[in-house]
Amino acid sequence: MLSIRNLSKSYVPGKPVLKSISVEIAPHGITAIIGPSGTGKSTLIRCINLLVEPTEGEIVFEGKDIAHLHGQALREVRRKMGMVFQEYNLVERLTVMENLLTGRLGYTSAWDSFRRKFEQSDIDHAFKLLEHVGLASFANTRADALSGGQRQRVGIARALMQKPALLLADEPTSSLDPKTSVEIMQLMCGLAEENQIPVMINMHDVDLAKRFANRILGMSEGSIVYDGPPEGLTDDKLKMIYGGEGWLA
């Protein structure tokens, strides 16, 4: 599904944020990326969907190196990658249904997008997703009237409106309380399994990562220092990822 080869990213020359990352992502399963703040987790996610252009290396997606695509070729690839953001990235003045339908803009002409004209099949799919995320009765509610958990549910449904081959999430639970965080992870993992797509999630909550992921990538100073199952994430491995030990229970 996805092969990252010797991927590096420097925002400032000579100061790499990502240092020659190489990792293979299977066409199924949940991969959690953990590590301290500033270690490159978000940059890695954003390089994969090319919100950030890599400095060096390859990102081979469905057999094609996409690392330096632009224009129409880039738009076509992004159609296949759903993205869930930390701060939701909803259009506050639009309704829940209108926000979901923005997930189909990559498949709609500019004129139809301007008129907010969508295929009936897209509208039907949006209603189905709203039922899945528990927001069927909120279709006509403006996004700015929703709670944080409800907004993230809309964000997940919007990402799945693209019918993606890969779902990416950048700290999707960091702004949520513990109970809502678990509910969002359950929802995201369940929908990913139902749609048979792999998920990569950048997150700070180690316990949440161990609970829901079947593979964990531990990053430190721009490099992957752990790649394995949750049960292999011992205290020694956590100290290697985060440094120190006083913070461990």
Side-chain angles (χ1 to χ4, degrees), residues 16-161:
V17 177
L18 297 179
K19 302 174 182 176
S20 196
I21 298 286
S22 292
V23 65
E24 305 281 333
I25 301 299
H28 54 78
I30 311 296
T31 300
I33 308 168
I34 64 170
S37 298
T39 200
K41 303 186 303 297
S42 289
T43 297
L44 176 57
I45 289 288
R46 289 169 180 267
C47 277
I48 292 171
N49 69 359
L50 299 176
L51 290 175
V52 171
E53 185 172 356
T55 304
E56 296 179 0
E58 298 179 347
I59 302 170
V60 180
F61 178 64
E62 296 187 330
K64 180 179 181 180
D65 183 11
I66 65 170
H68 301 288
L69 293 181
H70 296 92
Q72 182 61 29
L74 173 57
R75 288 190 289 272
E76 290 177 359
V77 166
R78 281 186 177 155
R79 290 175 183 173
K80 300 181 180 181
M81 294 186 183
M83 183 74 175
V84 179
F85 297 90
Q86 176 183 356
E87 297 299 333
Y88 323 126
N89 278 28
L90 303 181
V91 182
E92 298 289 323
R93 62 184 175 79
L94 296 184
T95 67
V96 167
M97 174 59 72
E98 288 170 330
N99 269 281
L100 253 67
L101 289 171
T102 63
R104 297 302 293 169
L105 291 181
Y107 297 88
T108 306
S109 70
W111 175 237
D112 283 345
S113 298
F114 176 76
R115 295 189 299 156
R116 297 181 189 174
K117 181 178 176 60
F118 295 92
E119 297 288 339
Q120 186 61 45
S121 58
D122 290 337
I123 296 171
D124 293 342
H125 186 52
F127 274 115
K128 180 180 178 181
L129 283 171
L130 283 180
E131 290 179 4
H132 273 294
V133 302
L135 293 176
S137 62
F138 290 81
N140 295 316
T141 302
R142 278 177 48 137
D144 55 10
L146 303 177
S147 69
Q150 289 171 332
R151 291 183 188 200
Q152 197 57 287
R153 289 171 182 268
V154 175
I156 293 167
R158 179 186 58 190
L160 291 173
M161 273 298 294

Side-chain angles (χ1 to χ4, degrees), residues 149-178:
Q150 289 171 332
R151 291 183 188 200
Q152 197 57 287
R153 289 171 182 268
V154 175
I156 293 167
R158 179 186 58 190
L160 291 173
M161 273 298 294
Q162 297 177 220
K163 300 181 180 178
L166 171 67
L167 183 62
L168 303 170
D170 188 11
E171 299 186 24
T173 62
S174 64
S175 301
L176 306 175
D177 64 76

